[in-house]
Amino acid sequence: MVEAFAVASGKGGTGKTTSTLALGMALAEDYDVTVIDADTGMANLLFHAGLDDADVTLHDLLVDERDAAVSDAVYERFGLSVVPCGTSLAAFEAADPGRLRDVVAELAADTDVLLLDSPAALGSKSAVLPVVLADRIVVVLQPTVPSLSDGLKVQEYAHSYGTDTAGVVFNRVRPDENVDRIAEQAGRYFGGQTLASVPESDAVRAARREGKPLLAHAPDDPAADAFREAAARLDVRDGDGREVAERFKSAVVPERI
Amino acid sequence: MRIPRGELRRSRVVDDAAAVLRTVLDEELTGYVVFEPQDALLLGETTRGVVTFEDGIPVLAYDTEREVGGRDGLEGFAVTGPTRAAVHAVDADALADAHEVEAFRVPPGEPARVLAGDERLAAKTTDAAPAARREEGRDQSAVESFLADADAIEEIRSEAREEARARASEWGLDDVLADDADDADDADDADDADAAAIDVGPDSR
Ligand SMILES: Nc1ncnc2c1ncn2[C@@H]1O[C@H](COP(=O)(O)OP(=O)(O)OP(=O)(O)O)[C@@H](O)[C@H]1O
Ligand SMILES: [Mg+2]
């Protein structure tokens, strides 16, 4: 079975990368999880996962005459299969975003859950592709007006491409904030459910500095608990891996922008 | 936004914006600091932002490249790695006008939190701020009234839908649009021109 989730927000810095790895590790208790850095223009998942010096990355799989196999860019870390992306601007420019579909299709054949760490922008084809390719999105929000507003936008983009909302994670919630009221109101506009309210936590930043996912660095931190709760609420749907792979293959994505 | 040119006190590259904010707080600077993250320069990009201060307490933030102010502006130049910080002093009177621009104001602790991830300095700055400013924070009631305005939200959503569809054609992604999105397309084609005016933020490409 396989379901692909795009972890998206519309706005930068809400905690998509943090959430992708945290949800991935929590889901890995029950599923075979593959995490992909689909933020190909501003990749940074590699830093969060201690893969700074990864030799082969997603960028190498997105070039026309590639000589790397998809499996060369898959790293087994923290109980996850991680596909990092490089940070070179030249590599990003050489990459053909349309090829992401083939890579995702190939990875889908061999995993239970795919998590696509998605870009903060919506202004280019490479930025929306993760949302186009995914079955559902997980929206990572901060309880602020700009974040909610951008979250609504990314959700509309997703829905336009037939991608549903699995749920919403409120992140970086401060002790003085009562997210319940906001979540209840937001629930009227966002699909799916409120998956969790993740507190602002020093452990998250410390984990990033250590190059480890939060759940590896500080598994007992309240923020880690909240992410595990979110993962438990995510009802991963059954899908036939081959079928999904086929669907990705048949999605009509032209070769070039 | 216009900030009167001040007198340059010092300009140096620092590893951590917190150090600058802490000194400015200690010396009770009235003026502004221009932050210029250095890593972006290596990529051939310019990232630059300004924070103004009154007696050492942050008042406004403005991203001069993206031309965005307030908390959002702050996030535009909240980049990890070394940053050049140029500290300028300005007369309080000369800054008063600029400080009227509500939309660009930030809560006192916000620069420390966003630029440096330093909650302790944020708390210290908030404590040092005048009573009236201490109340400013992330305004939950603003979020609640935003969410209560169903019409405004529907407008954001329908504009985003329009924009998504317009761009799908531009990018050759028409064929993957959901069917119901296609149907809606016929209904409100007339609004397309409006949709183009919406700013979705900087593109990563
Ligand atoms: N719950 C939290 N508490 C404290 N800090 C957090 C929390 N979540 C994320 N952060 C911090 O916020 C910053 C942004 O997080 P992250 O990189 O996960 O966001 P992102 O949405 O992927 O950003 P981008 O849009 O740049 O890709 C990081 O420094 C991270 O450590
Ligand atoms: Mg990220």
Side-chain angles (χ1 to χ4, degrees), chain A residues 9 11-19 39 42 44 48 117 120 171-172 198-202 204-205 208 223:
Chain A
S9 71
K11 186 169 140 53
T14 58
K16 293 175 295 296
T17 304
T18 302
S19 304
D39 190 354
M42 297 228 233
N44 67 353
H48 289 247
D117 183 10
N171 187 29
R172 312 199 65 169
V198 180
E200 173 84 27
S201 159
D202 283 341
V204 176
R205 278 185 292 268
R208 160 76 176 78

Side-chain angles (χ1 to χ4, degrees), chain A residues 11 92 121-124 128 143-144 146 148 153 156-157 160-162 172 174 177-178 181 185 189 205 254, chain B residues 72 75 110 113 117 138 140 143-144 147 153 157 161 163 167-168 171-172 175 177-178 199 202-203 205:
Chain A
K11 186 169 140 53
F92 171 62
L122 291 169
S124 68
V128 298
T144 65
L148 286 160
K153 279 189 196 166
E156 288 310 324
Y157 269 72
S160 299
Y161 290 106
R172 312 199 65 169
R174 298 198 208 130
E177 288 171 327
N178 173 6
R181 280 234 297 284
Q185 282 179 297
Y189 312 112
R205 278 185 292 268
Chain B
D72 262 6
E75 288 187 344
E110 212 64 1
R113 188 173 285 130
R138 205 141 78 181
Q140 185 160 347
V143 174
E144 285 174 16
L147 288 171
I153 292 207
R157 299 181 68 174
R161 268 196 298 277
E163 188 180 272
R167 293 196 160 169
W171 297 326
D175 294 347
L177 280 178
D199 179 23
D203 186 354
R205 199 159 233 235

Side-chain angles (χ1 to χ4, degrees), chain A residues 40 53 88 151 162 184 207 243:
Chain A
T40 52
D53 46 17
S88 139
E184 193 193 313
E243 220 170 79

